[in-house]
Amino acid sequence: MHNDIVIVEKSWNDLDVLVLDLMEMVRSHDDVINDAGLESLQEARSICKRLNILKKHLATSHGT
């Protein structure tokens, strides 16, 4: 059960690095790269929301 929480934490860390890279893309002067970065950031936000839900569920189901 502890592994579930570890996986969620690792996913958060990986996503954090990805978001920083996407933010650099959004700052690009190339419109195509900028648009792709914005679209990917929206997807990353959706992943963050799902990870938050999962993290809360794991915390309550594991009693932490």
Side-chain angles (χ1 to χ4, degrees), residues 25-26 28 30-42:
M25 286 177 65
V26 170
S28 170
D30 184 320
D31 288 342
V32 173
I33 293 172
N34 185 296
D35 290 345
L38 286 173
E39 185 176 317
S40 295
L41 274 173
Q42 288 297 336

Side-chain angles (χ1 to χ4, degrees), residues 1-52:
M1 293 188 188
H2 178 69
N3 280 344
D4 296 338
I5 295 170
V6 171
I7 291 169
V8 170
E9 290 298 324
K10 178 157 178 24
S11 297
W12 264 114
N13 293 340
D14 292 346
L15 189 59
D16 189 43
V17 171
L18 176 63
V19 166
L20 291 175
D21 289 343
L22 290 172
M23 288 172 66
E24 286 298 316
M25 286 177 65
V26 170
R27 292 186 189 118
S28 170
H29 296 290
D30 184 320
D31 288 342
V32 173
I33 293 172
N34 185 296
D35 290 345
L38 286 173
E39 185 176 317
S40 295
L41 274 173
Q42 288 297 336
E43 291 297 320
R45 281 191 73 212
S46 294
I47 294 168
C48 286
K49 288 177 184 178
R50 290 192 303 268
L51 281 173
N52 272 334

